[in-house]
């Protein structure tokens, strides 16, 4: 199911570097914590490799200083 969701998100993304276009938006900020959780899953690399545009988005998002300051700690 996760792969289908990533494919759908990539389809909705369009051509911009961010989820809703050329500028960071609430869509990116809302999705970021969910992707931070996904990043802890063993399947993460395989899933994102199948969705290269989403993987590139996540890399941009995860590199933001604000993400580093709010990095969640999963038990």
């Amino acid at each position: 199911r996760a792969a289908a969701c990533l494919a759908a998100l990539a389809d909705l993304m369009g051509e911009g570097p961010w989820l809703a276009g050329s500028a960071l938006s609430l869509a990116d900020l809302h999705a970021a914590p969910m992707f931070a959780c996904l990043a802890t899953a063993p399947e993460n690399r395989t899933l994102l490799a199948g969705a290269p545009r989403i993987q590139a988005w996540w890399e941009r998002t995860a590199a933001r200083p604000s993400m580093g300051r709010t990095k969640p700690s999963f038990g």
Side-chain angles (χ1 to χ4, degrees):
R1 291 184 186 171
C5 291
L6 291 173
L9 189 56
D11 287 344
L12 292 170
M13 187 176 174
E15 298 301 319
W18 301 102
L19 293 179
S22 61
L24 183 75
S25 71
L26 288 176
D28 304 290
L29 301 177
H30 179 72
M34 292 176 263
F35 274 82
C37 186
L38 174 65
T40 67
E43 305 86 0
N44 174 49
R45 289 186 192 267
T46 303
L47 286 168
L48 287 179
R53 294 178 60 239
I54 298 300
Q55 181 177 22
W57 166 83
W58 173 240
E59 290 169 358
R60 277 190 297 281
T61 303
R64 294 179 48 80
S66 60
M67 283 299 294
R69 289 190 304 270
T70 59
K71 186 176 181 176
S73 174
F74 296 103

